Structures are given as C-alpha cells and as structure tokens.
Coordinates of all heavy atoms in Angstrom, one line a residue:
M11 N 44.5 -24.4 30.4 CA 44.0 -25.5 29.7 C 42.6 -25.1 29.1 O 42.3 -25.3 28.0 CB 43.9 -26.7 30.6 CG 43.9 -28.1 30.0 SD 45.0 -28.5 28.7 CE 44.7 -30.2 28.5
G12 N 41.8 -24.6 30.1 CA 40.4 -24.2 29.6 C 40.4 -23.2 28.6 O 39.6 -23.2 27.7
R13 N 41.4 -22.3 28.6 CA 41.5 -21.2 27.6 C 41.8 -21.8 26.2 O 41.5 -21.2 25.2 CB 42.5 -20.2 28.0 CG 41.9 -19.0 28.8 CD 43.0 -18.1 29.3 NE 43.9 -18.8 30.3 CZ 45.2 -18.5 30.4 NH1 45.8 -17.6 29.7 NH2 45.9 -19.1 31.3
V14 N 42.5 -22.9 26.2 CA 42.9 -23.5 24.9 C 41.7 -24.3 24.4 O 41.4 -24.3 23.2 CB 44.1 -24.4 25.1 CG1 44.5 -25.0 23.8 CG2 45.3 -23.5 25.7
L15 N 41.0 -25.0 25.3 CA 40.0 -25.9 24.8 C 38.8 -25.2 24.3 O 38.2 -25.6 23.3 CB 39.5 -26.8 26.0 CG 40.2 -28.2 26.1 CD1 39.7 -28.9 27.3 CD2 39.8 -29.0 24.8
L16 N 38.4 -24.1 24.9 CA 37.2 -23.4 24.5 C 37.1 -23.0 23.0 O 36.2 -23.3 22.3 CB 36.9 -22.2 25.4 CG 35.4 -21.9 25.6 CD1 34.7 -23.1 26.2 CD2 35.3 -20.7 26.5
P17 N 38.2 -22.3 22.5 CA 38.1 -21.9 21.1 C 38.0 -23.2 20.2 O 37.4 -23.2 19.2 CB 39.4 -21.2 20.9 CG 39.8 -20.7 22.2 CD 39.3 -21.8 23.2
A18 N 38.7 -24.2 20.6 CA 38.7 -25.4 19.8 C 37.3 -26.0 19.7 O 36.9 -26.4 18.6 CB 39.7 -26.5 20.4
L19 N 36.6 -26.0 20.8 CA 35.3 -26.5 20.9 C 34.4 -25.7 20.0 O 33.5 -26.2 19.2 CB 34.8 -26.5 22.3 CG 33.7 -27.5 22.6 CD1 34.2 -28.9 22.6 CD2 33.1 -27.2 24.0
A20 N 34.5 -24.4 20.1 CA 33.7 -23.5 19.3 C 33.8 -23.7 17.8 O 32.9 -23.7 17.1 CB 34.0 -22.0 19.7
S21 N 35.1 -23.9 17.4 CA 35.3 -24.0 15.9 C 34.8 -25.4 15.5 O 34.4 -25.5 14.3 CB 36.7 -23.8 15.6 OG 37.5 -24.8 16.2
A22 N 34.8 -26.4 16.4 CA 34.3 -27.7 16.0 C 32.8 -27.6 15.8 O 32.2 -28.2 14.8 CB 34.6 -28.7 17.1
V23 N 32.1 -26.8 16.6 CA 30.6 -26.7 16.5 C 30.3 -25.9 15.2 O 29.4 -26.3 14.5 CB 30.1 -25.9 17.7 CG1 28.6 -25.5 17.5 CG2 30.2 -26.8 19.0
L24 N 31.1 -24.9 14.9 CA 30.9 -24.1 13.7 C 31.1 -25.0 12.5 O 30.4 -24.9 11.5 CB 31.9 -22.9 13.7 CG 31.4 -21.7 14.5 CD1 32.5 -20.6 14.5 CD2 30.1 -21.1 14.0
A25 N 32.1 -25.8 12.5 CA 32.4 -26.6 11.4 C 31.3 -27.7 11.1 O 31.0 -28.0 10.0 CB 33.7 -27.3 11.6
A26 N 30.7 -28.1 12.2 CA 29.6 -29.1 12.0 C 28.4 -28.5 11.4 O 27.7 -29.2 10.7 CB 29.3 -29.7 13.4
G27 N 28.1 -27.3 11.7 CA 26.9 -26.6 11.2 C 26.8 -26.6 9.7 O 25.9 -27.3 9.1
P28 N 27.6 -25.9 8.9 CA 27.4 -25.8 7.5 C 27.9 -27.0 6.7 O 27.9 -26.9 5.5 CB 28.2 -24.5 7.1 CG 29.2 -24.4 8.2 CD 28.8 -25.2 9.4
A29 N 28.3 -28.1 7.3 CA 28.9 -29.2 6.6 C 27.9 -29.7 5.5 O 28.3 -30.1 4.4 CB 29.3 -30.3 7.5
G30 N 26.6 -29.8 5.9 CA 25.6 -30.3 5.0 C 25.5 -29.5 3.7 O 25.4 -30.0 2.6
A31 N 25.5 -28.2 3.9 CA 25.3 -27.2 2.8 C 26.5 -27.4 1.8 O 26.3 -27.1 0.6 CB 25.3 -25.8 3.3
A32 N 27.6 -27.8 2.2 CA 28.8 -27.9 1.3 C 28.6 -29.0 0.3 O 29.2 -29.1 -0.7 CB 30.0 -28.2 2.1
D33 N 27.6 -29.9 0.6 CA 27.4 -31.1 -0.3 C 26.6 -30.6 -1.6 O 26.6 -31.3 -2.6 CB 26.6 -32.2 0.4 CG 27.4 -32.8 1.5 OD1 28.7 -32.7 1.4 OD2 26.8 -33.4 2.3
V34 N 25.9 -29.5 -1.5 CA 24.9 -29.1 -2.5 C 25.5 -29.0 -3.9 O 25.0 -29.5 -4.8 CB 24.1 -27.9 -2.1 CG1 23.3 -27.4 -3.3 CG2 23.2 -28.2 -0.9
P35 N 26.7 -28.2 -4.1 CA 27.2 -28.1 -5.4 C 27.5 -29.4 -6.1 O 27.2 -29.6 -7.3 CB 28.4 -27.2 -5.2 CG 28.2 -26.5 -3.9 CD 27.4 -27.5 -3.1
A36 N 28.1 -30.3 -5.4 CA 28.5 -31.6 -6.0 C 27.3 -32.5 -6.4 O 27.3 -33.1 -7.4 CB 29.4 -32.3 -5.1
N37 N 26.3 -32.6 -5.5 CA 25.2 -33.5 -5.7 C 24.0 -32.9 -6.3 O 23.0 -33.6 -6.5 CB 24.9 -34.2 -4.4 CG 26.1 -34.9 -3.8 OD1 26.9 -35.4 -4.5 ND2 26.2 -34.9 -2.4
G38 N 24.0 -31.6 -6.5 CA 22.8 -30.9 -6.9 C 21.9 -30.5 -5.8 O 22.2 -30.8 -4.6
P39 N 20.8 -29.8 -6.0 CA 19.9 -29.4 -5.0 C 19.2 -30.6 -4.4 O 19.2 -31.7 -4.9 CB 19.0 -28.5 -5.7 CG 19.0 -29.0 -7.1 CD 20.4 -29.5 -7.4
P40 N 18.5 -30.3 -3.2 CA 17.8 -31.4 -2.6 C 16.9 -32.1 -3.6 O 16.1 -31.5 -4.3 CB 17.0 -30.7 -1.5 CG 17.7 -29.5 -1.2 CD 18.4 -29.1 -2.5
G41 N 16.9 -33.4 -3.6 CA 16.0 -34.2 -4.5 C 16.7 -34.7 -5.8 O 16.4 -35.7 -6.4
A42 N 17.7 -33.9 -6.2 CA 18.4 -34.3 -7.5 C 19.0 -35.6 -7.5 O 19.0 -36.4 -8.5 CB 19.4 -33.2 -7.9
S43 N 19.5 -36.0 -6.3 CA 20.2 -37.3 -6.2 C 19.2 -38.4 -6.3 O 19.5 -39.6 -6.7 CB 21.0 -37.4 -4.9 OG 20.1 -37.3 -3.8
S44 N 17.9 -38.1 -6.1 CA 16.9 -39.2 -6.3 C 16.6 -39.4 -7.7 O 15.9 -40.4 -8.1 CB 15.6 -38.9 -5.4 OG 15.0 -37.8 -6.0
C45 N 16.9 -38.4 -8.6 CA 16.7 -38.5 -10.0 C 17.8 -39.3 -10.7 O 17.6 -40.1 -11.6 CB 16.6 -37.2 -10.7 SG 15.6 -35.9 -9.8
T46 N 19.0 -39.0 -10.2 CA 20.2 -39.5 -10.9 C 20.3 -41.0 -10.8 O 21.1 -41.7 -11.5 CB 21.5 -38.9 -10.4 OG1 21.6 -38.9 -9.0 CG2 21.6 -37.4 -10.9
G47 N 19.6 -41.6 -9.8 CA 19.6 -43.1 -9.7 C 19.0 -43.7 -11.0 O 19.4 -44.8 -11.4
C48 N 18.1 -43.0 -11.6 CA 17.5 -43.5 -12.9 C 18.0 -42.7 -14.1 O 18.3 -43.3 -15.1 CB 16.0 -43.4 -12.8 SG 15.2 -44.6 -11.7
H49 N 18.0 -41.4 -13.9 CA 18.5 -40.5 -15.0 C 20.0 -40.2 -14.8 O 20.3 -39.4 -14.0 CB 17.7 -39.2 -15.1 CG 16.3 -39.4 -15.4 ND1 15.8 -39.6 -16.6 CD2 15.2 -39.4 -14.5 CE1 14.5 -39.7 -16.6 NE2 14.1 -39.6 -15.3
A50 N 20.8 -40.9 -15.5 CA 22.3 -40.7 -15.4 C 22.6 -39.2 -15.6 O 22.1 -38.6 -16.5 CB 23.0 -41.6 -16.3
P51 N 23.5 -38.7 -14.8 CA 23.8 -37.2 -14.9 C 24.8 -37.0 -16.1 O 25.1 -35.9 -16.5 CB 24.5 -36.9 -13.6 CG 25.0 -38.2 -13.1 CD 24.1 -39.2 -13.6
S52 N 25.2 -38.0 -16.8 CA 26.0 -37.8 -18.0 C 25.7 -38.9 -19.1 O 25.1 -39.9 -18.8 CB 27.5 -37.8 -17.7 OG 28.0 -39.1 -17.7
K53 N 26.2 -38.7 -20.3 CA 25.9 -39.6 -21.3 C 26.8 -40.9 -21.3 O 26.6 -41.8 -22.1 CB 26.0 -39.0 -22.7 CG 27.4 -38.6 -23.1 CD 27.4 -38.1 -24.5 CE 28.5 -37.2 -24.9 NZ 28.3 -36.4 -26.1
L54 N 27.7 -40.9 -20.3 CA 28.6 -42.0 -20.2 C 27.8 -43.3 -19.9 O 28.1 -44.4 -20.3 CB 29.6 -41.8 -19.1 CG 30.6 -40.7 -19.4 CD1 31.6 -40.4 -18.3 CD2 31.4 -41.0 -20.7
A55 N 26.7 -43.1 -19.1 CA 25.9 -44.2 -18.8 C 24.8 -44.4 -19.8 O 24.0 -43.4 -20.1 CB 25.3 -44.1 -17.4
D56 N 24.7 -45.5 -20.5 CA 23.7 -45.8 -21.5 C 22.6 -46.5 -20.9 O 22.8 -47.6 -20.3 CB 24.3 -46.6 -22.6 CG 23.5 -46.5 -23.9 OD1 22.6 -45.7 -24.0 OD2 23.7 -47.4 -24.7
S57 N 21.4 -46.0 -21.0 CA 20.2 -46.7 -20.4 C 19.0 -46.4 -21.2 O 18.9 -45.5 -22.0 CB 20.0 -46.3 -19.0 OG 19.2 -45.2 -18.8
A58 N 17.9 -47.2 -20.9 CA 16.7 -47.0 -21.7 C 15.9 -45.8 -21.1 O 15.0 -45.3 -21.8 CB 15.8 -48.3 -21.5
I59 N 16.2 -45.3 -20.0 CA 15.6 -44.2 -19.4 C 16.1 -42.9 -20.1 O 17.3 -42.7 -20.3 CB 15.8 -44.1 -17.9 CG1 15.1 -45.3 -17.2 CG2 15.3 -42.8 -17.3 CD1 15.5 -45.6 -15.8
P60 N 15.1 -42.1 -20.5 CA 15.6 -40.9 -21.3 C 16.6 -40.0 -20.4 O 16.4 -39.9 -19.2 CB 14.3 -40.1 -21.5 CG 13.2 -40.7 -20.6 CD 13.7 -42.1 -20.4
R61 N 17.6 -39.5 -21.1 CA 18.6 -38.7 -20.5 C 18.1 -37.3 -20.3 O 17.5 -36.7 -21.3 CB 19.9 -38.8 -21.3 CG 21.1 -38.5 -20.4 CD 22.3 -39.2 -21.1 NE 22.3 -39.2 -22.5 CZ 22.6 -38.1 -23.2 NH1 22.9 -37.0 -22.6 NH2 22.6 -38.1 -24.5
I62 N 18.2 -36.7 -19.2 CA 17.7 -35.3 -19.0 C 18.9 -34.3 -18.7 O 18.7 -33.1 -18.7 CB 16.7 -35.2 -17.9 CG1 17.2 -35.7 -16.6 CG2 15.4 -36.0 -18.3 CD1 16.2 -35.5 -15.4
A63 N 20.1 -34.9 -18.5 CA 21.2 -34.0 -18.3 C 21.5 -33.1 -19.5 O 21.4 -33.7 -20.6 CB 22.5 -34.8 -17.9
G64 N 21.7 -31.8 -19.4 CA 21.9 -31.0 -20.5 C 20.7 -30.5 -21.2 O 20.8 -29.7 -22.2
R65 N 19.5 -31.0 -20.8 CA 18.3 -30.6 -21.5 C 17.9 -29.2 -20.9 O 18.4 -28.8 -19.9 CB 17.1 -31.5 -21.1 CG 17.4 -32.9 -21.6 CD 16.9 -33.1 -23.1 NE 15.5 -33.1 -23.1 CZ 14.7 -34.1 -23.0 NH1 15.2 -35.3 -22.8 NH2 13.4 -34.0 -23.1
K66 N 17.1 -28.4 -21.7 CA 16.7 -27.1 -21.2 C 15.9 -27.2 -19.9 O 15.0 -28.1 -19.8 CB 15.8 -26.4 -22.3 CG 16.6 -25.9 -23.4 CD 15.8 -24.7 -24.0 CE 15.8 -24.7 -25.5 NZ 14.8 -25.4 -26.2
A67 N 16.2 -26.4 -18.9 CA 15.6 -26.4 -17.6 C 14.0 -26.3 -17.8 O 13.3 -27.0 -17.2 CB 16.1 -25.3 -16.7
A68 N 13.6 -25.4 -18.7 CA 12.2 -25.2 -18.9 C 11.5 -26.4 -19.4 O 10.4 -26.7 -19.0 CB 12.0 -24.0 -19.9
D69 N 12.2 -27.2 -20.2 CA 11.6 -28.4 -20.8 C 11.4 -29.5 -19.6 O 10.4 -30.1 -19.6 CB 12.5 -29.0 -21.8 CG 12.5 -28.2 -23.1 OD1 11.7 -27.2 -23.2 OD2 13.3 -28.4 -24.0
I70 N 12.4 -29.6 -18.8 CA 12.4 -30.5 -17.7 C 11.2 -30.1 -16.7 O 10.4 -31.0 -16.3 CB 13.7 -30.5 -16.9 CG1 14.8 -31.1 -17.8 CG2 13.6 -31.4 -15.7 CD1 16.2 -31.0 -17.2
E71 N 11.1 -28.8 -16.5 CA 10.0 -28.3 -15.6 C 8.7 -28.6 -16.2 O 7.7 -29.0 -15.5 CB 10.2 -26.8 -15.4 CG 11.2 -26.4 -14.4 CD 11.2 -24.9 -14.2 OE1 10.2 -24.3 -13.9 OE2 12.3 -24.4 -14.4
T72 N 8.5 -28.5 -17.5 CA 7.3 -28.7 -18.2 C 6.9 -30.2 -18.0 O 5.8 -30.5 -17.7 CB 7.3 -28.3 -19.7 OG1 7.6 -26.9 -19.7 CG2 6.0 -28.6 -20.4
F73 N 7.9 -31.1 -18.3 CA 7.6 -32.5 -18.2 C 7.1 -32.8 -16.7 O 6.2 -33.5 -16.6 CB 8.9 -33.3 -18.4 CG 9.0 -33.8 -19.8 CD1 10.0 -33.3 -20.7 CD2 8.2 -34.8 -20.3 CE1 10.1 -33.7 -22.0 CE2 8.3 -35.2 -21.6 CZ 9.3 -34.7 -22.5
M74 N 7.8 -32.3 -15.8 CA 7.5 -32.6 -14.4 C 6.1 -32.1 -14.0 O 5.4 -32.8 -13.3 CB 8.5 -31.9 -13.4 CG 9.9 -32.5 -13.5 SD 10.0 -34.2 -12.9 CE 10.1 -33.9 -11.1
R75 N 5.7 -30.9 -14.5 CA 4.4 -30.4 -14.2 C 3.3 -31.3 -14.9 O 2.3 -31.6 -14.3 CB 4.2 -29.0 -14.8 CG 4.4 -27.9 -13.7 CD 3.9 -26.6 -14.2 NE 4.4 -26.2 -15.5 CZ 5.5 -25.5 -15.7 NH1 6.2 -25.1 -14.6 NH2 6.0 -25.2 -16.8
E76 N 3.6 -31.7 -16.1 CA 2.6 -32.6 -16.8 C 2.5 -33.9 -16.2 O 1.4 -34.5 -16.1 CB 3.0 -32.7 -18.3 CG 3.2 -31.3 -18.9 CD 2.2 -31.1 -20.0 OE1 2.3 -31.8 -21.0 OE2 1.5 -30.1 -19.9
Y77 N 3.7 -34.5 -15.8 CA 3.6 -35.8 -15.1 C 2.8 -35.7 -13.8 O 2.0 -36.5 -13.5 CB 5.1 -36.2 -14.7 CG 5.9 -36.8 -15.9 CD1 7.2 -36.4 -16.0 CD2 5.3 -37.7 -16.8 CE1 8.0 -37.0 -17.1 CE2 6.1 -38.2 -17.8 CZ 7.4 -37.8 -17.9 OH 8.1 -38.4 -19.0
R78 N 3.0 -34.5 -13.1 CA 2.4 -34.4 -11.8 C 0.9 -34.3 -12.0 O 0.1 -34.8 -11.2 CB 2.9 -33.1 -11.1 CG 2.8 -33.2 -9.6 CD 3.1 -31.9 -8.9 NE 4.4 -31.2 -9.4 CZ 4.6 -29.9 -9.3 NH1 3.8 -29.1 -8.7 NH2 5.7 -29.4 -9.8
S79 N 0.4 -33.6 -13.0 CA -1.0 -33.4 -13.2 C -1.6 -34.6 -13.9 O -2.8 -34.7 -13.9 CB -1.2 -32.1 -14.1 OG -0.8 -32.4 -15.4
G80 N -0.8 -35.5 -14.4 CA -1.3 -36.6 -15.1 C -1.6 -36.4 -16.6 O -2.1 -37.2 -17.3
A81 N -1.3 -35.1 -17.1 CA -1.5 -34.8 -18.5 C -0.6 -35.6 -19.4 O -1.0 -35.8 -20.6 CB -1.3 -33.3 -18.7
W82 N 0.5 -36.0 -18.9 CA 1.5 -36.7 -19.7 C 1.6 -38.1 -19.2 O 1.9 -38.3 -18.0 CB 2.8 -36.0 -19.7 CG 3.8 -36.4 -20.8 CD1 4.8 -37.2 -20.7 CD2 3.8 -35.9 -22.1 NE1 5.5 -37.3 -21.9 CE2 4.9 -36.5 -22.8 CE3 3.0 -35.0 -22.8 CZ2 5.1 -36.3 -24.1 CZ3 3.3 -34.8 -24.2 CH2 4.3 -35.4 -24.8
P83 N 1.3 -39.1 -20.0 CA 1.4 -40.5 -19.4 C 2.8 -40.9 -19.0 O 3.7 -40.5 -19.6 CB 0.9 -41.3 -20.6 CG 1.1 -40.5 -21.8 CD 1.1 -39.1 -21.4
S84 N 2.8 -41.7 -18.0 CA 4.1 -42.2 -17.5 C 4.0 -43.5 -16.7 O 2.8 -43.8 -16.3 CB 4.8 -41.1 -16.6 OG 4.0 -41.0 -15.4
S85 N 5.1 -44.2 -16.6 CA 5.0 -45.4 -15.7 C 5.4 -45.0 -14.3 O 4.7 -45.4 -13.4 CB 6.0 -46.4 -16.3 OG 7.3 -46.0 -16.4
V86 N 6.5 -44.3 -14.1 CA 6.9 -44.0 -12.8 C 6.9 -42.5 -12.5 O 6.8 -42.1 -11.3 CB 8.3 -44.6 -12.5 CG1 8.3 -46.1 -12.5 CG2 9.3 -44.0 -13.5
M87 N 7.1 -41.6 -13.5 CA 7.3 -40.2 -13.3 C 6.2 -39.5 -12.6 O 6.4 -38.5 -11.9 CB 7.7 -39.5 -14.6 CG 9.2 -39.8 -15.0 SD 10.4 -39.6 -13.7 CE 10.2 -37.8 -13.4
G88 N 4.9 -39.9 -12.9 CA 3.8 -39.3 -12.3 C 3.9 -39.3 -10.7 O 3.7 -38.3 -10.1
R89 N 4.2 -40.5 -10.2 CA 4.4 -40.6 -8.8 C 5.6 -39.8 -8.3 O 5.5 -39.2 -7.2 CB 4.6 -42.1 -8.5 CG 3.6 -42.7 -7.5 CD 3.8 -44.2 -7.3 NE 4.0 -44.9 -8.6 CZ 4.8 -45.9 -8.7 NH1 5.6 -46.3 -7.7 NH2 5.0 -46.5 -9.9
I90 N 6.7 -39.9 -9.0 CA 7.9 -39.2 -8.6 C 7.6 -37.7 -8.6 O 8.0 -37.0 -7.6 CB 9.1 -39.6 -9.4 CG1 9.4 -41.0 -9.2 CG2 10.3 -38.6 -9.2 CD1 10.4 -41.6 -10.2
A91 N 7.0 -37.2 -9.7 CA 6.9 -35.7 -9.8 C 6.0 -35.1 -8.7 O 6.2 -34.0 -8.3 CB 6.2 -35.4 -11.2
K92 N 5.1 -36.0 -8.2 CA 4.2 -35.5 -7.1 C 5.0 -35.2 -5.8 O 4.5 -34.5 -4.9 CB 3.1 -36.5 -6.8 CG 2.0 -36.5 -7.9 CD 0.8 -37.3 -7.4 CE -0.4 -37.2 -8.4 NZ -0.2 -38.1 -9.5
G93 N 6.2 -35.8 -5.7 CA 7.0 -35.6 -4.5 C 7.7 -34.2 -4.5 O 8.4 -34.0 -3.5
F94 N 7.6 -33.4 -5.5 CA 8.4 -32.2 -5.6 C 7.5 -31.0 -5.9 O 6.6 -31.1 -6.8 CB 9.5 -32.3 -6.6 CG 10.5 -33.4 -6.3 CD1 10.2 -34.7 -6.8 CD2 11.6 -33.2 -5.6 CE1 11.1 -35.7 -6.5 CE2 12.5 -34.2 -5.2 CZ 12.3 -35.4 -5.7
D95 N 7.6 -29.9 -5.2 CA 6.8 -28.7 -5.5 C 7.5 -27.9 -6.6 O 8.6 -28.3 -7.1 CB 6.6 -27.9 -4.3 CG 7.8 -27.3 -3.6 OD1 8.8 -27.1 -4.3 OD2 7.8 -27.0 -2.4
D96 N 6.9 -26.9 -7.1 CA 7.5 -26.1 -8.2 C 8.9 -25.6 -7.9 O 9.7 -25.6 -8.8 CB 6.5 -24.9 -8.5 CG 5.3 -25.3 -9.2 OD1 5.3 -26.4 -9.9 OD2 4.3 -24.6 -9.2
Q97 N 9.1 -25.1 -6.7 CA 10.4 -24.6 -6.4 C 11.5 -25.6 -6.4 O 12.6 -25.4 -6.9 CB 10.3 -24.0 -5.0 CG 11.0 -22.6 -4.9 CD 10.7 -22.0 -3.5 OE1 9.9 -22.5 -2.7 NE2 11.4 -20.9 -3.3
Q98 N 11.2 -26.8 -5.9 CA 12.2 -27.9 -5.9 C 12.4 -28.4 -7.3 O 13.6 -28.6 -7.7 CB 11.7 -29.1 -5.0 CG 11.6 -28.7 -3.5 CD 10.8 -29.8 -2.8 OE1 9.8 -30.2 -3.2 NE2 11.3 -30.1 -1.6
T99 N 11.3 -28.5 -8.1 CA 11.5 -28.9 -9.4 C 12.3 -27.9 -10.2 O 13.2 -28.3 -11.0 CB 10.1 -29.0 -10.1 OG1 9.3 -29.9 -9.4 CG2 10.1 -29.4 -11.5
Q100 N 12.1 -26.6 -10.0 CA 12.9 -25.6 -10.7 C 14.4 -25.7 -10.4 O 15.2 -25.7 -11.3 CB 12.4 -24.2 -10.2 CG 12.6 -23.1 -11.2 CD 11.9 -21.9 -10.7 OE1 11.5 -21.8 -9.5 NE2 11.7 -20.9 -11.6
A101 N 14.7 -26.0 -9.1 CA 16.1 -26.1 -8.7 C 16.7 -27.3 -9.3 O 17.9 -27.3 -9.8 CB 16.2 -26.1 -7.2
I102 N 16.0 -28.4 -9.3 CA 16.5 -29.7 -9.9 C 16.7 -29.5 -11.4 O 17.7 -30.0 -12.0 CB 15.5 -30.8 -9.6 CG1 15.5 -31.1 -8.0 CG2 15.9 -32.1 -10.3 CD1 14.5 -32.1 -7.6
A103 N 15.7 -28.9 -12.1 CA 15.8 -28.7 -13.5 C 17.0 -27.9 -13.9 O 17.7 -28.2 -14.9 CB 14.5 -28.1 -14.0
A104 N 17.2 -26.8 -13.1 CA 18.3 -25.9 -13.4 C 19.6 -26.7 -13.3 O 20.6 -26.5 -14.1 CB 18.3 -24.7 -12.5
W105 N 19.7 -27.6 -12.3 CA 20.9 -28.3 -12.0 C 21.2 -29.3 -13.2 O 22.3 -29.4 -13.7 CB 20.8 -29.0 -10.7 CG 22.1 -29.8 -10.4 CD1 23.3 -29.3 -9.9 CD2 22.3 -31.2 -10.6 NE1 24.2 -30.3 -9.8 CE2 23.6 -31.5 -10.2 CE3 21.5 -32.3 -11.0 CZ2 24.2 -32.8 -10.2 CZ3 22.0 -33.5 -11.0 CH2 23.3 -33.8 -10.6
F106 N 20.1 -30.0 -13.6 CA 20.3 -31.0 -14.7 C 20.7 -30.3 -16.0 O 21.5 -30.8 -16.7 CB 19.0 -31.8 -14.9 CG 19.0 -33.1 -14.2 CD1 18.1 -33.3 -13.1 CD2 19.8 -34.2 -14.5 CE1 18.1 -34.4 -12.3 CE2 19.8 -35.3 -13.8 CZ 19.0 -35.5 -12.7
A107 N 20.1 -29.1 -16.2 CA 20.4 -28.4 -17.4 C 21.9 -27.9 -17.5 O 22.5 -27.8 -18.5 CB 19.5 -27.1 -17.5
A108 N 22.4 -27.8 -16.3 CA 23.8 -27.3 -16.2 C 24.8 -28.5 -16.3 O 26.0 -28.2 -16.4 CB 24.0 -26.5 -14.9
Q109 N 24.3 -29.7 -16.3 CA 25.2 -30.9 -16.4 C 25.6 -31.1 -17.8 O 24.8 -30.8 -18.7 CB 24.6 -32.1 -15.8 CG 24.1 -32.0 -14.4 CD 25.2 -31.5 -13.5 OE1 26.3 -32.0 -13.4 NE2 25.0 -30.3 -12.8
P110 N 26.8 -31.6 -18.1 CA 27.2 -31.9 -19.5 C 26.2 -32.8 -20.1 O 25.8 -33.8 -19.5 CB 28.6 -32.5 -19.3 CG 28.9 -32.7 -17.9 CD 27.8 -32.0 -17.1
E111 N 25.9 -32.6 -21.4 CA 24.9 -33.3 -22.1 C 25.3 -34.8 -22.3 O 26.4 -35.1 -22.5 CB 24.7 -32.7 -23.5 CG 23.3 -32.9 -24.0 CD 23.2 -32.1 -25.3 OE1 23.6 -30.9 -25.3 OE2 22.6 -32.6 -26.2
Ligands
HEC226 C1 12.6 -44.9 -10.8 C2 13.4 -44.3 -11.9 C3 13.2 -42.8 -12.1 C4 13.5 -41.8 -11.2 C5 13.9 -41.9 -9.7 C6 13.2 -40.6 -11.9 N1 12.8 -40.8 -13.2 FE1 12.4 -39.4 -14.6 N2 11.8 -40.9 -15.9 C7 11.9 -42.3 -15.6 C8 11.2 -43.0 -16.7 C9 11.1 -44.5 -16.8 C10 10.8 -42.1 -17.6 C11 10.0 -42.3 -18.9 C12 8.5 -41.9 -18.5 C13 7.9 -42.9 -17.6 O1 7.7 -44.1 -18.0 O2 7.5 -42.6 -16.4 C14 11.2 -40.8 -17.1 C15 11.0 -39.6 -17.8 C16 11.5 -38.3 -17.3 C17 11.4 -37.1 -18.0 C18 11.0 -36.9 -19.5 C19 12.2 -37.1 -20.4 C20 11.8 -37.3 -21.8 O3 12.5 -36.9 -22.7 O4 10.7 -37.9 -22.1 C21 11.9 -36.1 -17.2 C22 12.0 -34.6 -17.6 C23 12.2 -36.7 -16.0 N3 12.0 -38.1 -16.1 C24 12.7 -36.0 -14.9 C25 13.0 -36.6 -13.6 C26 13.4 -35.9 -12.5 C27 13.6 -34.4 -12.4 C28 13.6 -36.8 -11.5 C29 13.9 -36.6 -10.0 C30 13.0 -35.7 -9.3 C31 13.3 -38.1 -12.0 N4 12.9 -38.0 -13.3 C32 13.4 -39.3 -11.3 C33 12.4 -42.9 -14.5 C34 12.8 -42.2 -13.3

C-alpha cells in the first residue's frame, strides 16, 4: 500500500508547484490583468479608455515611463504606472503588443 501511495503523493506535490506558472501565457505577465480591467485586450469591447492592445511595445513603455515621472498628464495612469518597474512594464507592454489589435 505504502509503495503505491508514495509516488502518487510525490506527483501531486509536483503538479501543485508549477500550476501558477501555467496561467501566464493566457493572462499575460504579472500585472497585465490589472490593465485589462480598463484597457480591453481586444477591439471587441468599445470604451472611452484608449485601446493599447496591438500597439507597439516601445510606445506603451514610453507612455508608462512618462506617466510615472509625471511628464505626461493623466487622471489615473500616473498612479498606476508607479506600481510597475521597468522590467514589469516591458513584459506587460510586450504582451499587449502581441494581442490582436
Ligand atoms: C482604472 C483604469 C485603468 C487601468 C487599471 C489602467 N489604465 Fe491605462 N489608461 C486609463 C485611462 C483613463 C487612460 C487615459 C489617460 C488618463 O486619464 O490617465 C489610460 C491611458 C493609458 C495609455 C496611453 C494610451 C494612449 O494612447 O493615450 C497606456 C499606454 C496605458 N494606459 C497603459 C496601461 C497599462 C500598461 C496598464 C496596466 C499596468 C494600465 N494602463 C492600467 C485607465 C486605466
């Protein structure tokens, strides 16, 4: 009995480990899901908030840097941009750029 249970337990532990990482491709990198609440990931959703899906990653990064420094006026983005460092912003920008326009 013990010989049967042990491998089962080990594989259950292994399966629990990388489960979180498997979510990344679908939802984008960490932080991206906090953007899509306002910036729809596709043009199917029509809203007053500028669409950033399909935009150039470099453009999105530039906006985020300017919002963070306050160089570019904003209502909410200044506060939001401050929550992400350059590396996180880069990953999020690349993900949005890869989404259908
Ligand atoms: C609470 C809603 C909200 C969230 C969350 C949000 N944004 Fe925004 N975003 C806006 C609004 C509104 C604007 C227009 C500028 C302003 O008023 O702040 C904007 C503007 C932008 C722009 C400039 C687009 C353009 O063409 O002018 C970029 C790029 C951007 N957001 C990226 C992001 C990223 C990346 C995230 C996630 C880290 C994010 N936003 C999260 C509401 C949001």
Side-chain angles (χ1 to χ4, degrees):
M11 203 47 174
R13 266 175 294 149
V14 179
L15 264 177
L16 208 61
L19 203 71
S21 62
V23 169
L24 280 176
D33 293 339
V34 171
N37 303 328
S43 62
S44 70
C45 317
T46 51
C48 290
H49 297 279
S52 88
K53 67 172 157 199
L54 295 176
D56 195 18
S57 86
I59 294 170
R61 206 153 35 78
I62 60 173
R65 298 273 291 271
K66 282 207 221 89
D69 292 351
I70 297 172
E71 281 181 56
T72 301
F73 265 113
M74 291 293 278
R75 261 197 308 272
E76 307 244 297
Y77 283 137
R78 208 188 312 159
S79 72
W82 198 259
S84 67
S85 57
V86 294
M87 285 309 299
R89 238 176 313 141
I90 292 167
K92 284 192 176 79
F94 298 91
D95 63 26
D96 283 338
Q97 226 172 351
Q98 291 166 321
T99 300
Q100 205 171 17
I102 293 170
W105 181 77
F106 268 108
Q109 302 310 302
E111 213 171 312

